[in-house]
């Protein structure tokens, strides 16, 4: 079946990014600072919905919220500890370029190396501090590094852009325009933040009009797409199917079968410990080696393509070599089809794994994405563990040919990516020119931790066009990070996965968990997954430890301590030193009696608040020495997403009568915090304070009912 590429956008669509640049470059930096403490009135903003009537409706909701997020990033960049100091530059040239001006500045080499394309800079003639107002200033966007000692910037000096997104006359900008026209005029420059990622998200958001499954994204319905080509589901070769049945449980197999049904979107929900990564690896094998049996054309006729049959033993050997991450074997299958369509191609022999050499045109290309590199690590390591070479460099590019000199790094990178069956990338980098200029599209896109990405970020890898998308994640764990409180309030943090799920889109749920002792999984299964999580066979035996002879050491325990919370000045974070003292004491007792826990690979201390983590680390360092981090891993809830330890202590921090519990009330963070441990999780917090929230009230009540509630006096 031929893969349908995204419709080529008309030239007018290229103006979308220009619109973004004109709006942002036209903002008044000091006005943003003044208005940052005020609550947005909501004028011009709409709440994110489950379904949309049209592309215009969709853009009308997401674009204003994305600009609110840009403003928040600018303000955060100003406050960031790593923000650059003011730098000097001199005007070398200034010329009109369409609706913009290109400004070339002479700068010191250190500054030139520290700035990158799409960095947002502030230009002014007068260096100023917070609370001061210079007479002339404007934003500029880093375009590229020029020759030695120069950078070229993009400016838009048509006027100040306010709430109506239209430029209005501004005396400050007119003065700045006059200064920039003066050659050798000295300027002060301040780097604010990078806009590369959010610019890619903006472009991807507007590309929805040209995606082959546009209607499905708008309606969040799997009934909205009508294809002129209909395929029967791919059939997994029997030897591979036998291995998958031995390696995966029924819910994982159901997810893989759903993926082979040719539905454009497949959603897979992976609760804690349910083998989400193993399922993704199974998907990779199945997609690469499971051709559809028959291609049906729109006229109703059909074509079946055959090749010589192979013995069971020979076929078994081929798929093992092509997918070594299943068995740890090596080289890839070198036999390709004699004929077939582009992309997924049908063959008569169900046992032939369909993986081909890079110089064949029938290669299936898979892009695996995640919001961050850390989210990709486990999958990448599992694939690399097989020592399979997924791509080879063209000798003519690698420097081994006649060129004699050093190879062009960009050409080497492009060659590797062109030859690769599977490419791993962050969502943001998938929108870079490196991937968009490849000689092929990706047939399949798999997005891991899809519930941790805002919707425009999820659209970035889809903008190039693809045949099928897998969204893998868990909306009941950590959400997407949204900086703007206004955008968050209007639902900008809602992931595409969650929106689809809430609209009733079918979701494949992984239901067998292999991580937690059954007494740990009991509460999250009931509270967050309607009791659907099942414990793997013999998991109780595998996760039972000697310290379980003391009921207070788990598998699940709640320690009720009425400590005192405090907020370090200017941090916005919270600490509870009484909880810290108790945790230090508890940890010392544990590792003194059970020395195997004295390892950062086994023991975790988790808290929602970064300053509680900071204080915990300082106290552990003071008590146990500089190498304490080799004995215990102390981190935030966000830092532990996707990770696990044998033993975990969770510090809730909040303790008050009426102030509430802040973002500790986020049940998704609660779920992550209490599901990191294999054998024991001890929750330390104020029961009185926490019971202001329904989920925490249920946890405390559950602990009391099970006899694992302990009052600290």
């Amino acid at each position: 079946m031929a893969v349908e590429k995204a419709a080529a956008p008309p030239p007018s669509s290229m103006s979308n990014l220009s619109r973004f640049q004109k709006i942002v470059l036209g903002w008044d930096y000091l006005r943003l600072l003044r208005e940052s403490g005020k609550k947005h009135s909501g004028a011009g903003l709409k709440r994110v919905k489950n379904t949309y009537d049209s592309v215009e409706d969709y853009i009308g909701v997401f674009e204003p919220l994305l600009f609110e997020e840009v403003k928040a990033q600018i303000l955060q960049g100003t406050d960031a500890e790593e923000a650059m100091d003011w730098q000097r530059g001199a005007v070398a040239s200034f010329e009109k370029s369409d609706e913009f001006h290109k400004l070339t500045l002479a700068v010191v080499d250190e500054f030139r190396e520290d700035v990158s394309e799409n960095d947002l800079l502030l230009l002014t003639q007068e260096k100023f501090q917070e609370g001061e107002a210079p007479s002339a200033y404007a934003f500029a966007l880093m375009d590229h590094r020029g020759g030695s000692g120069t950078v070229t910037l993009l400016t838009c000096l048509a006027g100040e852009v306010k709430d109506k997104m239209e430029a209005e006359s501004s005396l400050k900008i007119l003065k700045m325009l006059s200064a920039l026209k003066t050659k050798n005029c000295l300027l002060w420059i301040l780097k604010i933040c990078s806009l590369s990622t959010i610019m890619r998200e903006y472009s991807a958001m507007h590309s929805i009009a040209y995606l082959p499954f546009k209607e499905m994204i708008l309606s969040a319905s799997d009934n909205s797409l009508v294809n002129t080509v209909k395929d029967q589901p791919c059939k997994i070769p029997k030897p591979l199917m036998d291995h998958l049945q031995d390696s995966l449980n029924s819910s994982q197999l159901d997810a893989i079968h759903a993926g082979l049904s040719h539905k454009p979107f497949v959603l897979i929900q992976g609760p804690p410990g349910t083998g989400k990564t193993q399922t993704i690896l199974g998907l990779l094998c199945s997609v690469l080696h499971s051709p559809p049996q028959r291609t049906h054309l729109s006229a109703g006729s059909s074509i079946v393509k055959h090749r010589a049959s192979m013995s069971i033993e020979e076929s078994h050997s081929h798929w093992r070599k092509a997918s070594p991450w299943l068995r740890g074997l090596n080289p890839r299958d070198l036999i390709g089809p004699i004929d077939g369509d582009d992309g997924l191609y049908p063959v008569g022999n169900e046992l032939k794994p369909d993986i081909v050499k890079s110089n064949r045109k029938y290669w299936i290309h898979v892009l695996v994405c995640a919001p961050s590199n850390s989210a990709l690590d486990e999958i990448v390591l599992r694939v690399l563990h097989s020592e399979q070479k997924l791509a080879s460099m063209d000798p003519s590019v690698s420097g081994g040919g006649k060129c004699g000199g050093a190879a062009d790094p960009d050409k080497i990178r492009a060659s590797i990516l062109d030859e690769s069956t599977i490419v791993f990338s962050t969502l943001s980098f998938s929108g870079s020119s490196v991937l968009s200029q490849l000689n092929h599209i990706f047939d399949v896109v798999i997005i891991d931790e899809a519930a941790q990405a805002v919707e425009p970020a999820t659209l970035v890898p889809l903008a190039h066009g693809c045949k099928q998308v897998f969204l893998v994640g868990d909306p009941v764990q950590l959400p997407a990070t949204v900086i703007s409180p206004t955008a968050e309030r209007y639902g900008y943090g809602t992931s595409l996965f969650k929106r689809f799920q809430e609209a009733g889109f079918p979701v494949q749920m992984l239901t067998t968990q292999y991580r937690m002792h059954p007494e740990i999984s009991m509460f999250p299964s009931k509270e967050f997954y309607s009791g659907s999580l099942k414990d793997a066979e013999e998991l109780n035996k595998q996760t039972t430890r000697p310290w379980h002879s003391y009921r207070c050491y788990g598998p699940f325990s709640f320690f009720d301590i009425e400590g005192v919370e405090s907020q370090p000045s200017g941090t916005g974070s919270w600490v509870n030193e009484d909880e810290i003292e108790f945790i230090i004491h508890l940890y010392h007792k544990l590792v003194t009696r059970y020395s195997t826990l004295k390892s950062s690979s086994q023991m975790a201390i988790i808290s929602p608040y970064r300053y509680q983590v900071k204080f915990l680390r300082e106290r552990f360092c003071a008590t146990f020495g500089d190498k304490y981090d080799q004995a215990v891993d102390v981190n935030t809830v966000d830092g532990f997403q996707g990770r696990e330890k044998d033993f975990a202590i969770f510090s809730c921090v909040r303790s008050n009568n009426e102030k509430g519990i802040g973002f500790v009330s986020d049940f998704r963070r609660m779920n992550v915090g209490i599901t990191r441990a294999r054998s024991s999780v001890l929750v330390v917090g104020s029961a009185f304070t926490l019971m202001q929230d329904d989920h925490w009230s249920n946890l405390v009540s559950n602990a009391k009912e099970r006899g694992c509630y302990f009052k600290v006096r």
Side-chain angles (χ1 to χ4, degrees):
M1 167 181 164
V3 177
E4 184 177 0
K5 193 169 184 177
S12 60
S13 70
M14 301 304 294
S15 64
N16 290 328
L17 201 53
S18 294
R19 169 177 162 79
F20 176 95
Q21 292 166 336
K22 284 190 291 185
I23 289 173
V24 173
L25 293 177
W27 284 340
D28 183 321
Y29 175 65
L30 294 185
R31 183 186 296 275
L32 294 181
L33 291 179
R34 289 194 301 269
E35 295 178 350
S36 62
K38 301 177 183 178
K39 185 175 181 180
H40 197 290
S41 65
L45 302 181
K46 302 176 184 176
R47 177 169 291 280
V48 169
K49 306 181 291 185
N50 285 342
T51 61
Y52 296 88
D53 298 328
S54 64
V55 171
E56 291 73 24
D57 183 25
Y58 185 89
I59 300 295
V61 170
F62 277 99
E63 186 181 77
L65 296 178
L66 183 143
F67 280 122
E68 288 300 316
E69 185 69 359
V70 176
K71 292 176 182 177
Q73 289 188 15
I74 291 172
L75 296 171
Q76 185 189 57
T78 305
D79 295 336
E81 294 177 0
E82 66 271 17
M84 293 176 62
D85 294 329
W86 288 98
Q87 300 289 330
R88 271 297 209 184
V91 175
S93 68
F94 184 70
E95 58 186 24
K96 184 80 170 173
S97 177
D98 297 324
E99 299 175 277
F100 301 91
H101 284 90
K102 288 285 184 74
L103 168 66
T104 300
L105 293 179
V107 296
V108 297
D109 287 339
E110 182 181 359
F111 176 76
R112 180 178 177 275
E113 296 302 318
D114 282 343
V115 290
S116 304
E117 183 181 359
N118 296 325
D119 280 351
L120 185 67
L121 309 176
L122 182 67
L123 308 180
T124 177
Q125 284 187 283
E126 311 157 46
K127 183 179 178 180
F128 62 91
Q129 302 295 326
E130 186 175 352
E132 299 176 349
S135 59
Y137 55 92
F139 280 131
L141 202 60
M142 175 71 177
D143 189 61
H144 66 272
R145 296 187 184 119
S148 178
T150 66
V151 294
T152 298
L153 311 180
L154 192 70
T155 64
C156 186
L157 302 170
E160 181 185 348
V161 175
K162 298 182 181 179
D163 293 337
K164 294 183 179 181
M165 302 297 184
E166 297 176 357
E168 301 176 10
S169 179
S170 168
L171 182 60
K172 298 182 184 67
I173 290 181
L174 289 174
K175 288 183 177 180
M176 197 68 206
L177 179 61
S178 175
L180 296 181
K181 290 179 178 178
T182 306
K183 191 168 184 178
N184 297 323
C185 177
L186 292 177
L187 299 174
W188 287 101
I189 314 165
L190 181 65
K191 178 180 174 181
I192 303 297
C193 63
S194 171
L195 295 181
S196 286
T197 293
I198 205 157
M199 287 173 68
R200 290 168 184 165
E201 293 170 1
Y202 183 86
S203 296
M205 177 184 68
H206 278 275
S207 75
I208 186 176
Y210 315 108
L211 295 180
F213 26 73
K214 170 189 69 177
E215 296 302 328
M216 178 172 285
I217 294 176
L218 295 176
S219 67
S221 168
D222 63 344
N223 298 320
S224 60
L225 191 67
V226 178
N227 281 327
T228 56
V229 179
K230 298 181 179 179
D231 291 337
Q232 291 184 1
C234 296
K235 189 170 182 180
I236 300 177
K238 188 177 186 304
L240 176 56
M241 189 68 239
D242 290 343
H243 181 80
L244 291 176
Q245 287 177 335
D246 290 339
S247 306
L248 305 176
N249 62 54
S250 59
S251 64
Q252 292 171 323
L253 288 171
D254 287 344
I256 289 174
H257 283 300
L260 297 177
S261 66
H262 292 295
K263 292 181 179 179
F265 272 81
V266 178
L267 273 60
I268 302 173
Q269 184 173 1
T274 53
K276 177 168 60 71
T277 300
Q278 182 70 7
T279 305
I280 291 175
L281 294 176
L283 272 174
L284 288 172
C285 290
S286 302
V287 166
L288 293 173
H289 312 311
S290 302
Q293 293 177 277
R294 184 180 298 267
T295 297
H296 293 272
L297 304 181
S298 55
S301 60
S302 63
I303 299 174
V304 179
K305 299 179 181 179
H306 300 272
R307 75 158 70 86
S309 61
M310 303 168 66
S311 68
I312 294 290
E313 292 77 14
E314 190 177 5
S315 299
H316 189 274
S317 173
H318 278 302
W319 72 255
R320 283 191 314 173
K321 292 174 182 177
S323 295
W325 53 81
L326 283 178
R327 293 284 298 271
L329 301 176
N330 205 350
R332 78 167 80 112
D333 183 358
L334 298 178
I335 300 177
I338 297 172
D339 58 1
D341 301 338
D342 291 333
L344 287 170
Y345 48 89
V347 293
N349 178 10
E350 67 176 19
L351 298 176
K352 177 66 185 71
D354 300 316
I355 183 75
V356 296
K357 291 175 64 177
S358 60
N359 59 359
R360 307 264 185 164
K361 77 169 189 173
Y362 304 108
W363 195 320
I364 303 298
H365 295 277
V366 182
L367 176 63
V368 182
C369 291
S372 65
N373 281 315
S374 59
L376 286 172
D377 284 348
E378 186 178 357
I379 307 172
V380 174
L381 290 173
R382 290 280 292 277
V383 173
L384 292 181
H385 182 66
S386 67
E387 299 182 355
Q388 180 182 16
K389 188 178 181 182
L390 295 178
S392 60
M393 287 189 293
D394 185 336
S396 65
V397 175
S398 64
K402 297 180 180 180
C403 60
D408 182 341
D410 290 337
K411 289 184 179 179
I412 294 175
R413 181 163 55 177
S415 174
I416 292 172
L417 291 173
D418 263 331
E419 294 184 7
S420 300
T421 316
I422 308 169
V423 172
F424 295 88
S425 169
T426 61
L427 290 172
S428 175
F429 190 78
S430 69
S432 68
S433 60
V434 175
L435 290 183
S436 62
Q437 294 175 7
L438 292 180
N439 294 323
H440 61 77
I441 67 167
F442 290 98
D443 308 88
V444 176
V445 174
I446 300 174
I447 301 179
D448 191 19
E449 301 294 3
Q452 288 190 51
V454 295
E455 184 161 332
T458 306
L459 297 180
V460 173
L462 312 188
H464 308 309
C466 63
K467 175 178 181 280
Q468 190 174 34
V469 181
F470 292 90
L471 301 181
V472 187
D474 185 8
V476 191
Q477 295 190 64
L478 290 183
T481 299
V482 176
I483 302 171
S484 166
T486 300
E488 178 69 41
R489 193 165 65 248
Y490 281 82
Y492 187 69
T494 303
S495 65
L496 182 62
F497 190 119
K498 185 177 181 181
R499 180 167 74 82
F500 269 39
Q501 187 179 43
E502 289 184 344
F505 197 94
V507 176
Q508 298 295 319
M509 176 86 158
L510 306 182
T511 56
T512 302
Q513 72 90 14
Y514 298 88
R515 175 188 298 164
M516 300 166 279
H517 190 286
E519 287 197 32
I520 299 176
S521 66
M522 183 186 305
F523 177 79
S525 175
K526 178 181 177 181
E527 189 74 9
F528 307 124
Y529 302 102
S530 303
S532 61
L533 284 191
K534 300 179 293 186
D535 301 314
E537 292 183 14
E538 299 189 357
L539 189 59
N540 192 334
K541 180 180 178 181
Q542 294 168 3
T543 54
T544 296
R545 301 289 187 267
W547 50 83
H548 289 165
S549 58
Y550 295 90
R551 192 66 186 90
C552 62
Y553 292 155
F556 173 80
S557 298
F558 183 89
F559 290 90
D560 182 6
I561 177 171
E562 295 300 329
V564 177
E565 66 177 30
S566 61
Q567 192 171 37
S569 178
T571 66
S573 189
W574 292 88
V575 298
N576 188 320
E577 298 199 44
D578 295 306
E579 284 189 16
I580 293 175
E581 291 297 328
F582 176 71
I583 289 170
I584 293 282
H585 176 73
L586 189 61
Y587 170 82
H588 182 66
K589 290 283 188 183
L590 270 167
V591 298
T592 299
R593 186 177 291 269
Y594 304 102
S595 58
T596 56
L597 288 175
K598 198 172 184 179
S599 168
S600 58
S601 65
Q602 300 293 315
M603 172 67 76
I605 296 177
I606 309 170
S607 179
Y609 291 100
R610 59 187 177 90
Y611 261 75
Q612 182 77 343
V613 168
K614 179 177 182 291
F615 279 37
L616 277 163
R617 288 173 175 170
E618 290 172 353
R619 285 301 314 278
F620 268 90
C621 182
T623 306
F624 301 105
D626 294 341
K627 296 183 178 180
Y628 78 92
D629 55 347
Q630 297 178 11
V632 60
D633 191 351
V634 185
N635 214 327
T636 60
V637 173
D638 295 60
F640 270 108
Q641 168 79 357
R643 302 170 59 199
E644 62 182 61
K645 301 286 182 180
D646 202 48
F647 201 114
I649 300 174
F650 185 84
S651 174
C652 298
V653 181
R654 302 309 300 269
S655 180
N656 59 73
N657 292 330
E658 52 189 25
K659 293 179 183 178
I661 61 174
F663 79 160
V664 177
S665 63
D666 186 338
F667 68 91
R668 296 164 297 188
R669 281 188 164 78
M670 174 188 184
N671 185 26
V672 172
I674 65 177
T675 57
R676 298 306 93 195
R678 292 185 290 267
S679 70
S680 291
V681 58
L682 313 184
V683 180
V684 179
S686 164
F688 177 83
T689 302
L690 294 172
M691 290 181 75
Q692 299 175 56
D693 174 80
D694 290 341
H695 291 295
W696 281 105
S697 179
N698 292 339
L699 182 140
V700 174
S701 298
N702 183 268
K704 290 179 177 179
E705 291 169 5
R706 293 159 58 186
C708 48
Y709 166 90
F710 302 93
K711 182 69 176 178
V712 179
R713 303 185 186 279

